[in-house]
Amino acid sequence: MAELLSTPIEYLKGIGPKRGATLRKELNISKYGDLLYYFPFRYIDRSTFHEIKEIPYLKGAVQLKGKIISGREIGSGRGKRYEAVFTDGTGRINLVWFKGINWIKSKITPNSTIIVWGKPTQYGSKLNISHPELEFIDPAKPIEKGLQPVYHSGEKLQKAGFNSKGIERVISNLLPTIKNQIKEDLPQWIIHDLGLMKKEEAVYKIHLPDNEDEAKRASFRLKFQELFYLQLELLIRKQIVQKKIKGFTFGEIGAPFNTFYENHIPFELTNAQKRVIREIRKDLSSGIHMNRLLQGDVGSGKTLVALMVMLIAIGNGYQTCIMAPTAILATQHFQTINDMLSEMDIKVSLLIGATKKSERNVLHEQLQQGEIDILVGTHALLEDNVVYKNLGLAIIDEQHRFGVAQRSKLWKKNLLPPHQLVMTATPIPRTLALTFYGDLDVSVIDELPPGRKEIQTSHRYESSRLRVFKFIEEQIKIGRQIYIVYPLIDESEKLDYKNLMDGYEAITKRFPLPEYKVSIVHGKMTPEDKDYEMQLFAAGKTNIMVATTVIEVGVNVPNASVMIIESAEKFGLSQLHQLRGRVGRGADQSYCILMSGYKLSENAKKRLNTMCETNDGFKISEVDLKLRGPGDIMGTQQSGILNLKISDLAKDNQIVQIARDKAIALLEKDPKFENEEHQYLGKKLKAIIQSKPNWSRIS
Ligand code: ADP
Ligand code: MG
């Protein structure tokens, strides 16, 4: 039965060697089964049409039936376009093409009946659809009933006859042959609980649904299937790892933790901090290796949690380390931790790229002797000659800044891997966390320390520059400090550098010495110079810090209360949120001003508005996911490995949750897949797990 679906694609009616090669190359379709699993991304309802006169009251895309009555080429160079006037008898609309003008000209014959599909926009009193989909029809024939699938295509595919319609045609040659060829691979009880369509039916109906309801049910079944397998895979991987890898058992809280908690802790822990420490403590005492992700919005107090967890490790006789992505941040952690532990007998050391050779030698020696309790540093911690006596716990701050390979190096610093806590201030939407980190445990600090005032965020254009400067002046007068951040997407981009320098010059002119002191920090400076400037600012010796995004993560200067982000439209949402998180760390009212040009894309507008509307990192991450898609957020490499054919993590969050719940239920019911109805599923999963490297593990 598997044979049919593994038949080479060339053998299918209507394909042949040449077109088969195109399918292989362009869509990675080499067998019947691959084609069957090439799903449409939407449907056209062939039986209902909108009218042009109702368009102003409609939302989204429309389907119209009518005629093109005239067409002409307009403009030249980049503004060149082709405009056709289309009417359905109730009004007129312009169809516009900026690309493929010659092709469209050759296609359009006046007065033939066509179906137009696309999203209208209104310019003044004129209605436009740019790059609509067209279908030429024979008015004498009745229009086919039902839904017509639409498939993604591309230029090379179209040339080989595989526009959406062409793909539909070959798939409709395949569908009649699949009867009894597709084995059900979900257990009956799940199909029953969720009222799912059978697999064979779903695979058929996704291509040829009779109505919208069928299309929806087919798509739900296939999405569920995909996500359910994925969740099972993640859960099983987690079990395998936990069984294989024993962890150090930290049997007691220990004296350092208790002494610190009773005598030196600078403030009362928030409830969220307490809860998270309890969760971690439970892991550490369980004998199982901890691999935990700690999510907490900027300013939620992750550093203190990290410190207290390290104290538990130290109390059990182990060394610990904390790694941060930049020298600025590592240095700051070092100072914070040292200050908090100043009255305790705990040795804290710092290792960054700039640490001198002579100091390093001493440090390496002390580390091997077990004299250092906490090692704080940057990537420098990963070097081979950094050897511990007994590293029991490794913490990674701002983990999204590190690659998988770097994280795994840290993991290998011991024969028995140290417990790992990775921290991030970039909240990951739950859907993504469950999918990408499904084999990790996740703790969330969902509460900010008390007394914080909501940061006030506004969006301003260049025309308000003078008023913004005036505002800076007032804030400096009352003793506050200011960040002004410029985009520097790529440190080598000369243009960005010039913007930064021009900005710096303008600011020093407006805020001159000796009354004002302005610092600057950017990627081209040596780490020592950066640190020096940062320290001046942190100590309140400069009023304004002009910087690139090097200050994005972690930096903590509570007296800085204004964050100005230049060319804010160039930043992504999570980056804007991170930058804003540099202020609002003290008790004063803080402000974030997003400066932008006038020309903004829809997407950029949405980003800036979202920032003005909310301070909630999780809400922001949800919007971010919708705008950018999971690939951009998690790194295309990671999301490519997921290889999702039909699910969309940005939209299908509910299905992810259902799949997760059902996967857990199954593993509870029958952890070894011994029941007859789970055996096939178990076999398939085993094959999947063995065929892939363990990509998702943060290790
Ligand atoms: P993040 O989670 O972004 O790393 P930090 O650890 O830098 O946040 O903490 C932000 C600020 O909040 C720091 O100034 C820290 O001293 C302070 N802080 C942390 N925990 C508390 C608390 N429980 N109560 C009051 N302030 C706190
Ligand atoms: Mg931090």
Coordinates of all heavy atoms in Angstrom, one line a residue, residues 302-303 329 333 397-398 423 425 554 585, ligand 2:
K302 N 15.4 39.2 37.0 CA 15.9 37.9 36.8 C 17.3 37.7 37.4 O 17.7 36.6 37.9 CB 16.0 37.6 35.3 CG 14.6 37.5 34.6 CD 14.7 37.1 33.2 CE 15.3 38.1 32.3 NZ 14.5 39.4 32.2
T303 N 18.1 38.8 37.5 CA 19.4 38.7 38.0 C 19.4 38.2 39.5 O 20.2 37.4 39.8 CB 20.1 40.1 37.9 OG1 19.8 40.7 36.7 CG2 21.6 39.9 38.1
L329 N 27.4 44.1 29.8 CA 26.4 43.4 30.7 C 27.1 42.5 31.7 O 26.7 42.4 32.9 CB 25.5 42.6 29.8 CG 24.2 42.0 30.5 CD1 23.5 43.1 31.3 CD2 23.3 41.4 29.4
H333 N 26.8 42.7 35.7 CA 26.4 41.6 36.6 C 27.4 41.3 37.6 O 27.1 41.1 38.8 CB 26.3 40.3 35.8 CG 25.0 40.1 35.0 ND1 23.8 40.8 35.4 CD2 24.6 39.4 33.9 CE1 22.8 40.5 34.6 NE2 23.3 39.7 33.7
D397 N 22.4 34.3 30.4 CA 21.5 35.4 30.4 C 21.3 35.8 29.0 O 22.2 35.8 28.2 CB 22.2 36.6 31.2 CG 21.1 37.6 31.6 OD1 19.9 37.4 31.5 OD2 21.5 38.8 31.9
E398 N 20.1 36.3 28.7 CA 19.7 36.7 27.4 C 20.1 35.6 26.3 O 20.8 35.9 25.4 CB 20.4 38.0 27.0 CG 20.3 39.1 28.0 CD 18.9 39.6 28.2 OE1 18.0 39.3 27.3 OE2 18.6 40.4 29.2
M423 N 18.1 32.3 30.6 CA 17.1 33.4 30.9 C 16.9 34.2 29.7 O 17.8 34.5 28.9 CB 17.7 34.3 32.0 CG 18.2 33.5 33.3 SD 18.3 34.5 34.7 CE 19.7 35.5 34.4
A425 N 14.7 37.8 28.2 CA 13.7 38.9 28.4 C 12.9 39.1 27.2 O 12.2 40.1 27.1 CB 14.5 40.2 28.8
G554 N 20.0 44.2 28.8 CA 20.5 44.1 30.2 C 20.9 45.3 31.0 O 20.7 45.4 32.2
R585 N 13.4 51.8 35.4 CA 14.0 50.8 36.3 C 14.0 51.4 37.7 O 14.4 50.8 38.6 CB 15.3 50.4 35.8 CG 15.3 49.9 34.4 CD 16.5 49.3 34.0 NE 16.2 48.1 33.2 CZ 16.5 46.9 33.5 NH1 17.3 46.6 34.5 NH2 16.1 45.9 32.7
Ligands
MG2 MG 18.8 41.1 32.8

